[in-house]
């Protein structure tokens, strides 16, 4: 007997403790992710019509709680741009923000139930062309949405990804407006220097020495704060004012900081609208998280695969905790996750640390955070967006053929001109059309020799009910008096509908003087053919 190595199946809670071996890589990566997450947390809260601090709570919980519970090594969770419209409408329709956070708690509990029902498997049915299209679209949106911030127009929140903006414009008109009416030279100088440095740093980062692990975005942010202060001394006309800087809520002491948290209004548990919002959040947040985690697995240099069912449990836990302390709903988020990957993170320790930095910074140094120019953070996000949508990605999909390129481009266009969730649904619909179309390619071939005395019907792949017409059409072409070989050797499954068609033909074959042989063990594929006169079963 051949010896086999027995490997125990990992338990549900195994692998939750973050490994410390990659601390040298995860520490600087976590700082970059925290810098990227800060404006996005505030921007999503602003776009959602929620208290700004609720966005920071969601970012902190997404980092620490979900980071600890998740088994994804590189995914980073936080308040999601894809939920802003749903959250905004929900807050408006409910009697209080505390009633909304109750819906977040209930949504988290539902996600945990989704995990127990093994719903995470749905992520495996999403075409890769849609996943890469989503990544490229988010990259393009980051670039298009952050350019106005880079030149000094901050009318739209940083975390808003929808085509139609809250300031009454859209993604494209805001670009034109920012360059023609809202150009701020101080922001332009800071963003141009920052972008140039980030790309130069990526190409020329020291391979050893004290600067080997120094994050470029940290240099950019610190440099931008110093440069803006210098503007105040030597060129006051260039100095960026309050509206162009980060705006973190500042609490008076520990008691003031604690007062920024709030409990849900459990008295609204009988409100039907609360349950409707909870169900909506649970379904949409689960979908967005599953797609995001699948995309992050694609970005992972080590090609690790995340347990999607466990991820749903982790996301549900995060939403439950976030709602309990007054935070927005959380999902796995591509922007933070891709920044995590690009910064060289190796494990979920980076995710947990990024949440810790957010917590410590808003607790200890909010006044310093409020000195950071939005133009510098826009530069970091623009570089992140470029890495998600490099021209090589488009060329790769083009070379794979139209069945991959069309869903890829359609997903990008749909997300760009609607919003993240609507665009993903459109991309999925188009992707599935191509999947179905590929399955409707001829599965059955029919050939005869010159005099029509020897014929063969061959199944090229598994036969399902959609192939019934094709099989019946081939059988109808068999001439009277011919010897027919039905070749099923290339199949591993033939459904009962097609078995019935073959059986019916075999029964009627003697009346047309047709001799039928079957190649392949049909008993292992679905059900045995009936015994019929003059039928020869051939096993090869």
């Amino acid at each position: 007997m051949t010896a086999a190595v027995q490997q125990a199946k990992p338990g549900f809670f195994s692998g939750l403790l973050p490994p410390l071996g990659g601390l040298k890589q995860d520490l600087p990566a976590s700082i970059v992710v925290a810098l990227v997450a800060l404006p996005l947390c505030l921007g999503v809260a602003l776009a959602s019509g929620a208290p700004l601090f609720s966005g920071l709570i969601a970012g902190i919980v997404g980092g620490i709680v979900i980071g600890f519970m998740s088994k994804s090594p590189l995914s980073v969770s936080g308040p999601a741009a894809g939920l802003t419209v749903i959250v905004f409408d929900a807050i408006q329709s409910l009697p209080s923000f505390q009633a909304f956070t109750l819906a977040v708690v209930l949504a988290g509990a539902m996600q945990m139930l989704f995990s127990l029902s093994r719903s995470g498997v749905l992520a495996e049915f999403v075409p890769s062309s849609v996943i890469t299209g989503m990544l490229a679209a988010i990259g393009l949106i980051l670039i298009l949405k952050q350019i106005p911030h880079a030149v000094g127009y901050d009318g739209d929140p940083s975390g808003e990804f929808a085509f139609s903006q809250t300031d009454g414009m859209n993604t494209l008109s805001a670009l034109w407006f920012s360059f023609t009416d809202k150009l701020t030279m101080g922001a332009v100088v800071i963003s141009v220097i920052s972008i140039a440095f980030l790309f130069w740093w990526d190409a020329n980062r020291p391979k050893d020495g004290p600067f080997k692990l120094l994050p470029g975005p940290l240099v950019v942010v610190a440099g931008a704060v110093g440069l803006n202060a210098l503007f105040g001394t030597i060129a006051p006309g260039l100095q960026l004012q309050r509206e162009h800087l980060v705006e973190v809520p500042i609490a008076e002491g520990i008691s003031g900081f604690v007062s920024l948290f709030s409990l849900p209004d459990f008295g609204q548990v009988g409100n039907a609208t609360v349950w409707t919002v909870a169900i909506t959040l649970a379904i949409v947040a689960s979908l967005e998280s599953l797609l995001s985690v699948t995309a992050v697995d694609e970005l992972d240099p080590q090609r690790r695969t995340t347990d999607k069912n466990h991820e749903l449990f982790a996301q549900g836990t995060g939403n439950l905790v976030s709602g309990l302390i007054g935070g927005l709903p959380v999902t796995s988020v591509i922007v933070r996750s891709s920044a995590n990957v690009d910064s060289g993170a190796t494990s979920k320790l980076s995710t947990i640390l990024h949440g810790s930095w957010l917590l410590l910074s808003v607790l200890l140094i909010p006044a310093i955070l409020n000195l950071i120019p939005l133009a510098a953070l826009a530069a970091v996000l623009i570089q992140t967006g470029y890495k998600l949508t490099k021209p090589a990605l488009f060329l790769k999909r083009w070379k794979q053929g139209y069945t991959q390129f069309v869903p890829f481009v359609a997903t990008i266009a749909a997300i760009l001109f609607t919003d993240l969730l609507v665009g993903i649904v459109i991309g999925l619909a188009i992707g599935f059309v191509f999947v179905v179309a590929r399955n409707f390619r001829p599965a059955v071939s029919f050939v005869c020799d010159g005099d029509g005395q020897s014929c063969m019907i061959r199944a090229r792949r598994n036969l399902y009910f959609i192939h019934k017409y094709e099989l019946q059409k081939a059988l109808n072409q068999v001439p009277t008096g011919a010897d027919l070989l039905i070749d099923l050797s290339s199949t591993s499954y033939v459904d009962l509908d097609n078995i019935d068609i073959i059986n019916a033909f075999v029964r009627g074959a003697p009346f047309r003087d047709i001799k039928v042989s079957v190649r392949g063990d049909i008993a292992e594929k679905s059900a045995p053919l009936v015994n019929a006169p003059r039928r020869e079963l051939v096993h090869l």
Side-chain angles (χ1 to χ4, degrees):
M1 179 181 294
T2 304
V5 178
Q6 297 294 326
Q7 186 175 6
K9 186 177 180 180
F12 191 79
F13 292 102
S14 65
L16 297 186
L17 292 177
L20 300 178
L23 181 61
K24 290 176 62 177
Q25 292 78 29
D26 291 331
L27 179 60
S30 69
I31 297 173
V32 174
V33 179
L35 291 172
V36 168
L38 178 63
L40 294 180
C41 290
L42 296 169
V44 169
L46 184 61
S48 302
L52 290 182
F53 196 71
S54 65
L56 293 171
I57 292 173
I60 293 166
V61 170
I64 298 175
V65 177
I66 297 182
F68 179 80
M69 291 297 299
S70 174
K71 291 184 179 180
S72 174
L74 298 176
S75 172
V76 182
S77 298
L83 294 177
T84 52
V85 175
I86 296 173
V87 172
F88 182 85
D89 291 341
I91 292 174
Q92 299 302 312
S93 64
L94 291 171
S96 65
F97 182 71
Q98 286 69 32
F100 170 74
T101 55
L102 174 62
V104 176
V105 171
L106 295 174
M110 291 177 190
Q111 285 183 288
M112 297 169 80
L113 292 177
F114 291 167
S115 168
L116 299 178
S117 67
R118 315 300 292 174
S119 299
V121 71
L122 295 175
E124 309 304 332
F125 294 95
V126 179
S128 63
S129 57
V130 175
I131 293 295
T132 53
M134 179 181 71
L135 288 170
I138 291 174
L140 286 172
I141 289 174
L142 276 177
I143 294 171
L144 296 174
K145 290 287 191 181
Q146 293 302 318
I147 286 176
H149 294 286
V151 300
Y153 174 57
D154 301 307
D156 193 49
S158 292
E160 228 294 286
F161 280 10
F163 183 71
S164 298
Q165 299 184 172
T166 55
D167 58 1
M169 287 184 280
N170 60 49
T171 303
L172 300 180
S173 64
L175 282 173
W176 176 260
F177 183 69
S178 62
F179 277 100
T180 56
D181 291 2
K182 288 292 183 179
L183 196 68
T184 305
M185 286 309 301
V188 172
V189 172
I190 288 174
S191 62
V192 169
I193 293 175
S194 299
I195 291 172
F197 174 81
L198 287 170
F199 280 97
W200 175 85
W201 184 255
D202 270 3
N204 300 277
R205 181 194 297 270
K207 299 297 187 293
D208 48 33
F211 298 109
K212 176 183 177 182
L213 299 176
L214 181 65
L218 180 60
V219 177
V220 161
V221 169
V225 171
L227 184 57
N228 195 46
L230 182 63
F231 286 160
T233 302
I234 64 174
L238 293 178
Q239 186 176 32
L240 298 179
Q241 302 304 312
R242 176 74 267 147
E243 67 268 20
H244 300 302
L245 305 177
V246 170
E247 190 173 352
V248 176
I250 298 179
E252 296 294 333
I254 296 297
S255 60
F257 180 75
V258 173
S259 69
L260 294 173
F261 297 84
S262 62
L263 289 172
D265 182 1
F266 289 101
Q268 294 291 323
V269 73
N271 188 331
T273 305
V274 168
W275 285 93
T276 301
V277 171
I279 293 170
T280 304
L281 288 175
I283 294 173
V284 176
S286 297
L287 172 64
E288 188 166 341
S289 290
L290 290 174
L291 290 175
S292 179
V293 169
T294 302
V296 175
D297 287 346
E298 295 265 342
L299 296 174
D300 184 4
Q302 299 182 37
R303 308 301 293 174
R304 289 165 288 188
T305 302
T306 300
D307 182 340
K308 307 302 189 301
N309 291 306
H310 187 94
E311 186 63 27
L312 280 180
F313 189 88
Q315 295 293 332
T317 304
N319 274 314
L320 192 149
V321 173
S322 183
L324 282 175
I325 58 178
L328 292 177
V330 292
T331 71
S332 173
V333 187
I334 284 293
V335 178
R336 298 169 179 80
S337 301
S338 60
N340 196 33
V341 175
D342 292 334
S343 301
T346 61
S347 75
K348 67 179 188 176
L349 179 61
S350 172
T351 300
I352 297 172
L353 287 175
H354 117 273
S356 303
W357 302 142
L358 284 177
L359 175 60
L360 291 174
S361 59
V362 299
L363 175 61
L364 302 177
I365 55 169
I368 296 177
L369 294 179
N370 288 341
L371 298 176
I372 301 175
L374 292 173
L377 297 175
V380 175
L381 291 170
I382 287 171
Q383 189 204 30
T384 300
Y386 173 77
K387 291 178 178 179
L388 285 172
T389 187
K390 289 182 178 179
L393 180 62
F394 290 80
L395 184 60
K396 177 182 177 181
R397 284 295 171 185
W398 172 260
K399 290 180 178 180
Q400 290 174 340
Y402 75 94
T403 59
Q404 293 293 315
F405 187 72
V406 172
F408 169 73
V409 172
T411 302
I412 294 173
I415 293 176
L416 280 178
F417 292 105
T418 56
D419 59 37
L420 185 60
L421 289 174
V422 173
I424 288 173
V425 171
I426 294 173
L428 285 172
I430 295 174
F432 285 133
V433 166
F434 278 86
V435 170
V436 172
R438 286 197 297 271
N439 279 286
F440 271 104
R441 290 181 301 174
V444 177
S445 60
F446 173 77
V447 292
C448 285
D449 60 12
D451 57 6
Q453 294 303 303
S454 296
C455 300
M456 180 176 71
I457 292 177
R458 182 183 181 190
R460 300 176 180 177
R461 58 182 182 275
N462 292 345
L463 297 181
Y464 302 97
F465 74 96
I466 59 174
H467 301 118
K468 287 168 57 179
Y469 172 78
E470 192 178 355
L471 176 61
Q472 187 66 66
K473 181 180 178 181
L475 290 169
N476 290 342
Q477 297 180 65
V478 180
T480 299
D483 291 341
L484 173 66
L485 171 62
I486 301 176
D487 185 0
L488 303 174
S489 59
S490 295
T491 68
S492 60
Y493 176 81
V494 179
D495 78 353
L496 290 175
D497 287 342
N498 288 286
I499 293 294
D500 289 342
I501 291 174
I502 296 174
N503 278 337
F505 184 86
V506 170
R507 290 191 187 98
F511 300 100
R512 297 176 55 196
D513 198 28
I514 296 174
K515 182 188 298 183
V516 181
S517 298
V518 179
R519 176 182 296 171
D521 190 350
I522 194 65
E524 294 182 0
K525 304 176 193 302
S526 179
L529 294 173
V530 297
N531 292 323
R534 305 182 64 182
R535 179 177 66 81
E536 299 172 8
L537 183 62
V538 181
H539 295 279
L540 296 181

